[in-house]
Amino acid sequence: MKLKSLTIAIALAATSASTFAADKEEGFYIGAFGDYYDASWKNMRAQAGLDVNESTGWGVEAGYRFSDYWSARLEYADMDFNAFDKVAGNRNSIDGERYGIDALYHLNGGPFYGLFGIKEMDVVDDNTFLNAGVGYQHFITDGLFVNAETAVYQGLDRGYTDVGAKIGINYLFGQNSAPVEPVKPAPEVVEVAVAPTDSDNDNIADADDKCANTPMTDAVDGTGCTLYEDKEVTVSLLVTFPNNASAVSTQYLNDIEKVSAFLKEYPDTTVLLEGHTSSVGKATYNKWLSKKRADAVAEQLVSDGIAKDRITTVGLGEERLKNDANTKAANAENRRVEAHIKTIKNVKVLR
């Protein structure tokens, strides 16, 4: 009952103190402890009928904490056993000693630990035991700690099975285990998008723009240059004449100047002037008159600065009547010179 009470007390003390466990430490330590041992040794001296029961005592230990998880210790205990002499019929005390070595495994590097070891007990005669148990240690300061543990002892010589418990105080000559600093991830590099410079606002960055300062009205290609497209441009001329006349009326001078301007703007173009007459009169005469009318318009173009080799005239007479009705109005409409000029112009594409 005494051992059971002590074991329960140790467990309660360990549980209540668990929140006060100190950091794991490494180094040498020494300590002293109070010891309780519940023996069940019958007839140790058969001739005397000596039974050995529980023991109380004290002890010292020295150990080394190798890491957060492992430590080892040497132990010595001075024991005072309660013995019963069945021959004499009385109880008396018997001195004994226990010494040996233990290995301790600290669960998760924390305050609770398991232990196993081998002990030699010198009580009346020598006996060897294997022991295993559990314990708890609590650091009061960086070096000072208390511990409580209980263990089962199995005899190798006579097959005794005993239990024991102890409470001790120790001092560790070491230093705190350096905590492993978590590896901090490298800061994430956030790329800030910088809008490329576009000086002429044509949506093409200056670094890619091969045509700087394009007008804002122009559509551009992928290199920032103005886009062009082919477009057909035309100009037409119609000059009419009185009956049997070939002189150019002043009312048509502006129209002829427009043709001259077109020819100057597009120097690769030429003009064909077609002269016509009505069906009145002889065909041969009308042929001659129509050519004379075309030549009259050509002379006006030359006077405006157009080279003669760019002008061709032809007299078609009454071959291509514009209006074949036999009326004064139809005849007036047919007395004419016509020209139609067209070319391809490369023009800007606007946005």
Side-chain angles (χ1 to χ4, degrees), residues 24 41 45 118 149 160 165 167-168 180 200 207 220-221 239 248 255 350:
K24 300 176 286 291
W41 303 343
R45 289 178 179 170
I118 185 169
E149 65 185 53
Y160 297 139
I167 297 177
V180 178
D200 54 6
V220 297
D221 59 17
V239 179
V248 177
D255 293 338
L350 301 180

Side-chain angles (χ1 to χ4, degrees), residues 161-209:
T161 301
D162 305 330
V163 292
K166 67 179 187 178
I167 297 177
I169 186 167
N170 303 265
Y171 190 83
L172 175 69
F173 300 92
Q175 56 185 347
N176 291 339
S177 301
V180 178
E181 291 290 338
V183 178
K184 296 181 179 179
E188 182 180 355
V189 178
V190 179
E191 294 185 2
V192 179
V194 179
T197 304
D198 180 13
S199 301
D200 54 6
N201 297 314
D202 60 359
N203 296 322
I204 303 297
D206 287 355
D208 301 320
D209 199 336

Side-chain angles (χ1 to χ4, degrees), residues 27 73 91 141 291:
R73 72 185 179 197
R91 291 186 175 275
T141 66
K291 177 70 165 61

Side-chain angles (χ1 to χ4, degrees), residues 64-134:
Y64 186 79
R65 182 77 176 259
F66 296 99
S67 67
D68 290 342
Y69 298 97
W70 288 99
S71 61
R73 72 185 179 197
L74 297 173
E75 175 192 272
Y76 171 81
D78 183 80
M79 309 174 77
D80 185 12
F81 284 93
N82 181 15
F84 179 69
D85 188 339
K86 291 185 287 185
V87 175
N90 59 9
R91 291 186 175 275
N92 52 55
S93 296
I94 298 178
D95 291 333
E97 295 178 321
R98 183 182 74 235
Y99 48 88
I101 186 170
D102 291 309
L104 287 73
Y105 178 75
H106 302 267
L107 301 177
N108 296 320
F112 292 96
Y113 59 89
L115 64 96
F116 58 91
I118 185 169
K119 301 292 191 303
E120 188 73 19
M121 292 197 192
D122 184 7
V123 182
V124 180
D125 52 16
D126 291 338
N127 291 276
T128 303
F129 289 80
L130 295 178
N131 64 288
V134 294

Side-chain angles (χ1 to χ4, degrees), residues 255-270:
D255 293 338
I256 295 173
E257 286 180 1
K258 290 179 181 178
V259 174
S260 298
F262 186 90
L263 292 169
K264 290 176 182 178
E265 183 178 357
Y266 304 103
D268 293 333
T269 58
T270 59

